[in-house]
Structures are given as structure tokens and as C-alpha cells.
Amino acid sequence: MTKAASSRPIMQLIDLLGTKWIMRILWEMNSGPCTFRELQDRCGGISPTMINNRMKDLIAENLVDKDSPNGYQLTALGKELVLLFSPLNQWAEEWVEKRDNKKFEKGESQS
Amino acid sequence: MTKAASSRPIMQLIDLLGTKWIMRILWEMNSGPCTFRELQDRCGGISPTMINNRMKDLIAENLVDKDSPNGYQLTALGKELVLLFSPLNQWAEEWVEKRDNKKFEKGESQS
DNA sequence: ACTAATGCTACATATTATGTAGCGCAAGGG
DNA sequence: CCCTTGCGCTACATAATATGTAGCATTAGT
């Protein structure tokens, strides 16, 4: 991570979101606070090492709080960020549809 | 990549965007078509191996075109996606500001 | 005291990224 | 015609990251 690259906030964010599992965890946490092990399940069985490391990152970045009785939850800032992800949902639908059509045109098999 | 996880379009997108360099490359390509080597520079000297692999991915996902005389460029779909990134820019500004204030309160050194 | 669930750590293995050298090709100049 | 220059891209050894599995320490319930 070069200093120049990471000086712009957007670059810091892109670095963070480009770290494996970060977006997935944020997305899954949007459905409410949860325990360590439940989060593991929501993320499809991700390893505890990874969850632990990523949660440390997210807490350090002020996106998640650890609130012992209730487990982990998004901070206000974290919730704002995840809100910005929602347009991606609709875009992704169109994208997959067009991509699969193209595969079909090319004669590839469909699932 | 489990089948269940990747069945939802948003999960496929999150997987893609969570791959190292993908967001960065998309972001940098928003400033116009460019050559292989210029893209390397825009991304701060990323290795050619990586650029090559990621461009293959992005082309396969219909987000980038290879148009030999002019090099690489975003597809219409790719441009739409990068447009959805722009709100992140403003959010990132606030985020970094708040994060750095917090560090200051805690007595950490500033750059 | 026993059981079960929790957050989390240890660590060997597998996967992925980085850095560097350089190939084959095309365009331009001498 | 040869020589340089820049191009897209490949090869491959090394370094960094992720995965999977076992299990420890703690807490809550019975």
C-alpha cells in the first residue's frame, strides 16, 4: 500500500472493500446484530481466523461495534455505508441476466 | 465459492468486487480508455501478471472491452457500475475525518 | 458437576499476489 | 535493412494471505 495511493479517502475505502470478506461481512451484518458464530454461518462457513481478523479491522475502522451481551453490530457509520451498497443489488440483477444471455448466445451451458 | 452463495446476483457481485484490485481497476478506468501499461501506472505499479488476470476477469464479466487500437475501456455496463461507486467518495471523506479525530482523541500520532 | 454454546487461538496446508526478467511483435528512424 | 522503442503479455521464484481443523477458556443453564 503506497502512501500516495492511500492518502485519498476513496482509495483507503477501495483498499478496505477490496479485502476479501469485508463486503460480504458488512452486507450480512445489515440484517441485524449477531454473534461470532452466527456471522460465520451467514458468511457460509468462513473460518474463525478470518472472521476474527476482519472484525478487528472493521472495529478499528469504526464500522462495527463489539457489544458483548449482544455480539457484533454495525455502527451508525457502518449502516450508512451499507446503505450505499443497495443500488448494487439492482444493478447486479441486470448484470447477471445480460451475462447469462451472452453465454447462452455463445452456446455455453446454463445451470 | 459455494454454489448457494453465488446464486444471488448480489453475492456474485460482492465476490467480484472483493477480489483484490478489481475495484481499483474499475475506478481508474473511469477516467478513460487506456493501454495495458498506462493502467499499470494508474494503479500504482501493480504487476503485469495481476493486471492481465484481472482484465481477463473483467472482460469475461462484461465490464471491460479490449479494443486493440485504443487499448482497454469500460463497457456501458461497466460505466453504470462505476457510477454507483461515486456516493462512496463523499462517504469516505466523512469516514476518514471521523476516524482520524477518534485517533487524535486517543492520543495517536497523526501524519 | 455436567453439558452446551460462546468467542477466539494455533498452526499446518493451500491459494493468491508480488516482483523481476524478458519474449515476440509492430512502428518509426537512420 | 537494421536498430531502437514501446507495446501486450508470459514465466517463475518468493512472499503474503486465506483455509480448514482441532481445541482452549469462559459463561449459562440443568
Side-chain angles (χ1 to χ4, degrees):
Chain A
M1 180 162 43
T2 63
K3 194 182 175 187
S6 59
S7 63
R8 276 177 300 171
I10 184 66
M11 284 300 156
Q12 294 185 46
L13 179 57
I14 283 175
D15 269 5
L16 180 66
L17 296 182
T19 304
K20 203 166 180 179
W21 290 111
I22 288 280
M23 283 191 80
R24 174 69 181 266
I25 289 172
L26 287 171
W27 183 267
E28 298 294 353
M29 290 212 64
N30 200 34
S31 47
C34 66
T35 68
F36 188 97
R37 272 170 144 113
E38 190 193 334
L39 188 54
Q40 249 188 301
D41 289 344
R42 288 190 194 172
C43 292
I46 173 180
S47 79
T49 319
M50 203 48 12
I51 284 273
N52 193 37
N53 287 339
R54 291 305 177 252
M55 293 321 274
K56 278 181 194 162
D57 296 342
L58 289 169
I59 288 166
E61 299 295 10
N62 255 295
L63 300 176
V64 166
D65 271 342
K66 178 155 54 177
D67 166 29
S68 278
N70 304 315
Y72 295 94
Q73 59 185 303
L74 290 173
T75 62
L77 206 52
K79 283 177 195 163
E80 283 176 32
L81 176 58
V82 179
L83 264 181
L84 301 182
F85 292 170
S86 18
L88 296 177
N89 212 330
Q90 192 182 347
W91 181 91
E93 299 276 353
E94 294 175 39
W95 167 58
V96 167
E97 191 182 334
K98 287 180 187 170
R99 184 164 48 92
D100 290 351
N101 284 345
K102 194 172 171 183
K103 280 182 186 172
F104 183 70
E105 286 162 17
K106 284 183 177 175
E108 293 180 25
S109 65
Q110 305 256 291
S111 59
Chain B
M1 180 161 45
T2 63
K3 194 181 174 188
S6 60
S7 64
R8 276 177 300 172
I10 185 66
M11 284 300 155
Q12 294 185 44
L13 180 58
I14 284 175
D15 269 3
L16 181 65
L17 296 182
T19 304
K20 203 167 181 179
W21 290 111
I22 287 279
M23 282 191 81
R24 174 69 181 267
I25 290 173
L26 287 171
W27 183 267
E28 298 294 352
M29 289 212 65
N30 200 34
S31 48
C34 66
T35 67
F36 187 97
R37 272 170 144 113
E38 190 195 332
L39 188 53
Q40 249 187 300
D41 290 343
R42 288 190 195 172
C43 293
I46 172 180
S47 77
T49 319
M50 204 45 15
I51 284 274
N52 192 37
N53 287 339
R54 291 305 177 253
M55 294 321 275
K56 278 181 194 162
D57 296 342
L58 290 170
I59 288 167
E61 300 294 11
N62 254 295
L63 300 177
V64 166
D65 271 342
K66 179 156 50 175
D67 166 31
S68 277
N70 304 315
Y72 296 93
Q73 59 184 302
L74 290 174
T75 61
L77 205 52
K79 283 177 195 163
E80 282 176 32
L81 176 58
V82 179
L83 266 181
L84 301 183
F85 291 171
S86 19
L88 296 177
N89 212 329
Q90 192 183 348
W91 181 90
E93 299 277 352
E94 294 175 39
W95 168 58
V96 167
E97 192 182 334
K98 287 179 188 170
R99 183 164 49 91
D100 290 352
N101 283 346
K102 193 172 172 183
K103 280 182 185 170
F104 182 70
E105 286 163 17
K106 284 183 177 174
E108 293 180 25
S109 65
Q110 305 256 293
S111 60

Coordinates of all heavy atoms in Angstrom, one line a residue, chain B residues 12-63:
Chain B
Q12 N -22.6 -12.7 -6.2 CA -21.6 -12.8 -7.3 C -20.9 -11.5 -7.4 O -19.7 -11.4 -7.6 CB -22.3 -13.1 -8.6 CG -23.0 -14.5 -8.6 CD -23.5 -14.8 -10.0 OE1 -22.9 -14.6 -11.0 NE2 -24.7 -15.4 -10.0
L13 N -21.6 -10.4 -7.3 CA -21.0 -9.0 -7.4 C -20.1 -8.8 -6.2 O -18.9 -8.3 -6.4 CB -22.1 -8.0 -7.5 CG -21.5 -6.5 -7.6 CD1 -20.6 -6.4 -8.8 CD2 -22.7 -5.5 -7.6
I14 N -20.5 -9.1 -5.0 CA -19.7 -8.9 -3.9 C -18.4 -9.8 -4.0 O -17.3 -9.3 -3.6 CB -20.5 -9.3 -2.6 CG1 -21.4 -8.1 -2.3 CG2 -19.6 -9.5 -1.4 CD1 -22.4 -8.3 -1.1
D15 N -18.5 -11.0 -4.5 CA -17.3 -11.8 -4.7 C -16.4 -11.1 -5.6 O -15.2 -11.1 -5.4 CB -17.7 -13.2 -5.3 CG -18.0 -14.2 -4.3 OD1 -17.9 -13.9 -3.1 OD2 -18.2 -15.4 -4.6
L16 N -16.9 -10.6 -6.7 CA -16.1 -10.0 -7.7 C -15.4 -8.7 -7.2 O -14.2 -8.6 -7.3 CB -16.9 -9.6 -9.0 CG -16.2 -9.0 -10.1 CD1 -15.2 -9.9 -10.7 CD2 -17.1 -8.4 -11.2
L17 N -16.2 -7.9 -6.6 CA -15.6 -6.6 -6.1 C -14.7 -6.9 -4.9 O -13.8 -6.0 -4.6 CB -16.8 -5.7 -5.6 CG -17.7 -5.2 -6.7 CD1 -18.7 -4.2 -6.2 CD2 -16.9 -4.5 -7.9
G18 N -14.8 -8.0 -4.2 CA -14.0 -8.3 -3.1 C -12.7 -8.9 -3.6 O -11.8 -9.3 -2.7
T19 N -12.5 -9.1 -4.9 CA -11.2 -9.6 -5.4 C -10.2 -8.5 -5.5 O -10.6 -7.4 -6.0 CB -11.5 -10.3 -6.8 OG1 -12.5 -11.2 -6.7 CG2 -10.2 -10.9 -7.3
K20 N -9.1 -8.7 -5.0 CA -8.1 -7.7 -4.9 C -7.9 -7.0 -6.3 O -7.8 -7.7 -7.3 CB -6.8 -8.3 -4.4 CG -5.9 -7.2 -3.8 CD -4.7 -7.9 -3.0 CE -3.8 -6.9 -2.4 NZ -2.7 -7.5 -1.6
W21 N -7.8 -5.7 -6.3 CA -7.6 -4.9 -7.4 C -8.8 -4.6 -8.3 O -8.7 -3.7 -9.2 CB -6.4 -5.4 -8.3 CG -5.1 -5.3 -7.6 CD1 -4.3 -6.4 -7.2 CD2 -4.4 -4.1 -7.3 NE1 -3.2 -5.9 -6.6 CE2 -3.2 -4.5 -6.7 CE3 -4.6 -2.8 -7.6 CZ2 -2.2 -3.6 -6.3 CZ3 -3.7 -1.9 -7.1 CH2 -2.5 -2.3 -6.5
I22 N -9.8 -5.4 -8.2 CA -10.9 -5.2 -9.1 C -11.6 -3.8 -9.0 O -11.7 -3.1 -10.0 CB -12.0 -6.3 -8.9 CG1 -11.5 -7.6 -9.5 CG2 -13.3 -5.9 -9.5 CD1 -11.6 -7.8 -11.0
M23 N -11.9 -3.4 -7.8 CA -12.5 -2.1 -7.6 C -11.5 -1.0 -8.0 O -11.9 0.0 -8.7 CB -12.9 -1.8 -6.1 CG -14.2 -2.5 -5.7 SD -14.8 -2.0 -4.1 CE -15.6 -0.4 -4.6
R24 N -10.3 -1.1 -7.7 CA -9.3 -0.1 -8.0 C -9.2 0.1 -9.5 O -9.2 1.2 -10.1 CB -7.9 -0.5 -7.5 CG -6.8 0.4 -7.9 CD -6.9 1.8 -7.3 NE -5.8 2.7 -7.6 CZ -4.7 2.8 -7.0 NH1 -4.5 2.2 -5.8 NH2 -3.7 3.7 -7.4
I25 N -9.1 -1.1 -10.2 CA -9.0 -1.0 -11.7 C -10.3 -0.4 -12.3 O -10.2 0.5 -13.2 CB -8.8 -2.4 -12.3 CG1 -7.4 -3.0 -11.9 CG2 -9.0 -2.4 -13.8 CD1 -7.2 -4.4 -12.3
L26 N -11.4 -0.7 -11.8 CA -12.7 -0.1 -12.4 C -12.7 1.4 -12.1 O -13.0 2.2 -13.0 CB -13.9 -0.8 -11.7 CG -14.3 -2.2 -12.1 CD1 -15.3 -2.8 -11.2 CD2 -14.7 -2.2 -13.6
W27 N -12.3 1.7 -10.9 CA -12.2 3.1 -10.6 C -11.3 3.9 -11.5 O -11.6 5.0 -12.0 CB -11.8 3.3 -9.1 CG -11.8 4.7 -8.6 CD1 -10.7 5.6 -8.6 CD2 -12.9 5.4 -8.1 NE1 -11.1 6.8 -8.2 CE2 -12.4 6.7 -7.8 CE3 -14.2 5.1 -7.9 CZ2 -13.3 7.7 -7.3 CZ3 -15.1 6.1 -7.3 CH2 -14.6 7.4 -7.0
E28 N -10.1 3.4 -11.7 CA -9.1 4.1 -12.5 C -9.5 4.1 -14.0 O -9.2 5.1 -14.7 CB -7.7 3.4 -12.4 CG -7.1 3.4 -11.0 CD -6.8 4.8 -10.5 OE1 -6.9 5.7 -11.2 OE2 -6.5 4.9 -9.3
M29 N -10.2 3.1 -14.4 CA -10.6 3.1 -15.8 C -11.7 4.1 -16.1 O -12.0 4.4 -17.3 CB -11.1 1.7 -16.2 CG -10.0 0.7 -16.3 SD -10.2 -0.5 -17.5 CE -10.2 0.5 -19.0
N30 N -12.3 4.6 -15.1 CA -13.4 5.6 -15.2 C -12.8 6.9 -15.9 O -13.6 7.7 -16.5 CB -14.1 5.9 -13.9 CG -15.4 6.5 -14.1 OD1 -16.1 6.2 -15.1 ND2 -15.8 7.4 -13.2
S31 N -11.6 7.1 -15.7 CA -11.0 8.4 -16.3 C -10.6 8.2 -17.8 O -9.9 8.9 -18.3 CB -9.8 8.9 -15.5 OG -8.9 7.8 -15.2
G32 N -11.2 7.1 -18.4 CA -11.0 7.0 -19.8 C -10.2 5.7 -20.3 O -9.6 5.1 -19.5
P33 N -10.4 5.4 -21.6 CA -9.7 4.2 -22.1 C -8.2 4.3 -21.9 O -7.7 5.4 -21.9 CB -10.1 4.2 -23.6 CG -11.2 5.1 -23.7 CD -11.1 6.1 -22.6
C34 N -7.5 3.2 -21.8 CA -6.1 3.3 -21.7 C -5.4 2.0 -22.0 O -6.0 1.0 -22.1 CB -5.7 3.7 -20.3 SG -6.1 2.5 -19.0
T35 N -4.1 2.1 -22.2 CA -3.3 0.9 -22.5 C -3.0 0.1 -21.3 O -3.1 0.6 -20.2 CB -2.0 1.3 -23.2 OG1 -1.2 2.0 -22.2 CG2 -2.2 2.3 -24.3
F36 N -2.5 -1.1 -21.6 CA -2.1 -2.0 -20.5 C -1.1 -1.3 -19.6 O -1.3 -1.3 -18.4 CB -1.5 -3.2 -21.2 CG -1.1 -4.4 -20.3 CD1 -2.0 -5.4 -20.2 CD2 0.1 -4.4 -19.6 CE1 -1.7 -6.5 -19.4 CE2 0.4 -5.5 -18.8 CZ -0.5 -6.5 -18.7
R37 N -0.1 -0.7 -20.2 CA 0.9 -0.2 -19.3 C 0.5 1.1 -18.6 O 1.0 1.4 -17.5 CB 2.2 0.0 -20.2 CG 3.1 -1.2 -20.2 CD 4.2 -1.1 -21.2 NE 5.4 -1.7 -20.7 CZ 5.9 -2.8 -21.3 NH1 5.3 -3.4 -22.3 NH2 7.0 -3.4 -20.9
E38 N -0.4 1.8 -19.2 CA -0.9 3.0 -18.5 C -1.7 2.7 -17.3 O -1.7 3.3 -16.3 CB -1.6 4.0 -19.5 CG -1.9 5.3 -18.8 CD -3.0 6.1 -19.6 OE1 -3.1 5.9 -20.8 OE2 -3.6 6.9 -18.9
L39 N -2.5 1.6 -17.5 CA -3.4 1.1 -16.5 C -2.5 0.7 -15.3 O -2.8 1.0 -14.1 CB -4.2 0.0 -17.0 CG -5.3 -0.5 -16.0 CD1 -6.2 0.6 -15.5 CD2 -6.1 -1.6 -16.7
Q40 N -1.4 0.0 -15.6 CA -0.5 -0.4 -14.6 C 0.0 0.9 -13.7 O 0.0 0.8 -12.5 CB 0.8 -1.0 -15.2 CG 1.0 -2.4 -15.0 CD 2.3 -2.9 -15.6 OE1 2.6 -2.7 -16.8 NE2 3.1 -3.4 -14.7
D41 N 0.3 1.9 -14.4 CA 0.7 3.2 -13.8 C -0.4 3.7 -12.9 O -0.2 4.1 -11.7 CB 1.2 4.2 -14.8 CG 2.5 3.8 -15.4 OD1 3.2 2.9 -14.9 OD2 2.8 4.3 -16.5
R42 N -1.6 3.8 -13.5 CA -2.7 4.4 -12.7 C -2.9 3.6 -11.4 O -3.4 4.2 -10.4 CB -4.0 4.3 -13.6 CG -4.0 5.3 -14.7 CD -5.4 5.3 -15.3 NE -5.5 5.9 -16.6 CZ -6.5 5.9 -17.4 NH1 -7.7 5.3 -17.1 NH2 -6.5 6.5 -18.6
C43 N -2.6 2.3 -11.5 CA -2.9 1.5 -10.3 C -1.6 1.4 -9.4 O -1.5 0.5 -8.6 CB -3.3 0.1 -10.7 SG -4.9 0.1 -11.5
G44 N -0.7 2.4 -9.6 CA 0.4 2.4 -8.7 C 1.5 1.3 -8.9 O 2.1 0.9 -7.9
G45 N 1.6 0.9 -10.1 CA 2.7 -0.1 -10.4 C 2.3 -1.5 -10.1 O 3.2 -2.4 -9.9
I46 N 1.1 -1.8 -10.1 CA 0.6 -3.2 -10.0 C 1.3 -4.1 -11.0 O 1.7 -3.7 -12.1 CB -0.9 -3.3 -10.2 CG1 -1.5 -4.7 -10.3 CG2 -1.3 -2.5 -11.4 CD1 -3.0 -4.7 -10.5
S47 N 1.6 -5.4 -10.6 CA 2.3 -6.3 -11.5 C 1.5 -6.6 -12.8 O 0.3 -6.7 -12.7 CB 2.7 -7.5 -10.8 OG 1.6 -8.4 -10.7
P48 N 2.3 -6.9 -13.9 CA 1.6 -7.2 -15.1 C 0.8 -8.5 -15.0 O -0.3 -8.6 -15.6 CB 2.7 -7.4 -16.1 CG 4.0 -7.5 -15.3 CD 3.7 -6.8 -14.0
T49 N 1.3 -9.5 -14.2 CA 0.5 -10.7 -14.0 C -0.9 -10.4 -13.5 O -1.9 -10.9 -14.0 CB 1.2 -11.5 -13.0 OG1 2.6 -11.5 -13.2 CG2 0.8 -13.0 -13.0
M50 N -0.9 -9.5 -12.5 CA -2.2 -9.2 -11.9 C -3.1 -8.5 -12.8 O -4.3 -8.8 -13.0 CB -1.9 -8.4 -10.7 CG -2.8 -8.4 -9.6 SD -3.6 -9.9 -8.9 CE -2.7 -11.3 -9.5
I51 N -2.6 -7.4 -13.5 CA -3.4 -6.7 -14.5 C -4.0 -7.7 -15.5 O -5.2 -7.7 -15.8 CB -2.5 -5.7 -15.3 CG1 -2.2 -4.4 -14.4 CG2 -3.2 -5.2 -16.5 CD1 -3.3 -3.4 -14.4
N52 N -3.1 -8.5 -16.0 CA -3.6 -9.4 -17.1 C -4.7 -10.3 -16.6 O -5.7 -10.5 -17.2 CB -2.4 -10.3 -17.5 CG -2.7 -11.0 -18.8 OD1 -3.4 -10.5 -19.7 ND2 -2.2 -12.2 -18.9
N53 N -4.5 -10.9 -15.4 CA -5.5 -11.8 -14.8 C -6.8 -11.0 -14.6 O -7.9 -11.5 -14.9 CB -5.1 -12.4 -13.5 CG -4.0 -13.5 -13.7 OD1 -3.9 -14.0 -14.8 ND2 -3.3 -13.7 -12.7
R54 N -6.7 -9.8 -14.0 CA -7.9 -9.1 -13.7 C -8.7 -8.6 -14.9 O -9.9 -8.6 -14.9 CB -7.6 -7.9 -12.8 CG -7.2 -8.3 -11.4 CD -8.2 -9.2 -10.7 NE -7.7 -9.6 -9.4 CZ -7.3 -10.9 -9.1 NH1 -7.4 -11.8 -10.0 NH2 -6.9 -11.2 -7.9
M55 N -7.9 -8.2 -15.9 CA -8.6 -7.8 -17.1 C -9.3 -8.9 -17.8 O -10.4 -8.7 -18.3 CB -7.5 -7.1 -18.1 CG -6.9 -5.9 -17.6 SD -8.0 -4.7 -16.7 CE -8.7 -3.8 -18.1
K56 N -8.7 -10.1 -17.8 CA -9.4 -11.3 -18.3 C -10.8 -11.4 -17.5 O -11.8 -11.7 -18.2 CB -8.6 -12.5 -18.1 CG -7.5 -12.7 -19.2 CD -6.8 -14.0 -18.9 CE -5.5 -14.1 -19.7 NZ -4.5 -15.1 -19.2
D57 N -10.7 -11.3 -16.2 CA -11.9 -11.5 -15.4 C -12.9 -10.4 -15.8 O -14.1 -10.7 -16.1 CB -11.6 -11.3 -13.9 CG -10.7 -12.4 -13.4 OD1 -10.6 -13.4 -14.0 OD2 -10.1 -12.1 -12.3
L58 N -12.5 -9.2 -15.9 CA -13.4 -8.1 -16.2 C -14.0 -8.2 -17.5 O -15.2 -7.8 -17.8 CB -12.7 -6.7 -16.0 CG -12.4 -6.4 -14.5 CD1 -11.4 -5.2 -14.4 CD2 -13.6 -6.1 -13.7
I59 N -13.2 -8.6 -18.5 CA -13.7 -8.8 -19.8 C -14.8 -10.0 -19.8 O -15.9 -9.8 -20.4 CB -12.6 -9.1 -20.8 CG1 -11.8 -7.9 -21.1 CG2 -13.1 -9.7 -22.1 CD1 -10.5 -8.1 -21.8
A60 N -14.5 -11.0 -19.1 CA -15.4 -12.2 -19.0 C -16.7 -11.7 -18.4 O -17.8 -12.3 -18.7 CB -14.8 -13.3 -18.3
E61 N -16.6 -10.8 -17.5 CA -17.8 -10.3 -16.8 C -18.5 -9.2 -17.5 O -19.4 -8.5 -16.9 CB -17.4 -9.9 -15.4 CG -16.8 -11.0 -14.5 CD -17.8 -12.1 -14.2 OE1 -18.9 -12.1 -14.8 OE2 -17.5 -12.9 -13.3
N62 N -18.0 -8.8 -18.7 CA -18.7 -7.8 -19.5 C -18.6 -6.4 -19.0 O -19.4 -5.6 -19.3 CB -20.2 -8.2 -19.6 CG -20.6 -8.7 -20.9 OD1 -20.5 -8.0 -21.9 ND2 -20.9 -9.9 -20.9
L63 N -17.5 -6.2 -18.2 CA -17.4 -4.8 -17.6 C -16.3 -4.0 -18.4 O -16.3 -2.8 -18.3 CB -17.0 -4.9 -16.2 CG -18.0 -5.7 -15.3 CD1 -17.6 -5.8 -13.9 CD2 -19.4 -4.9 -15.4

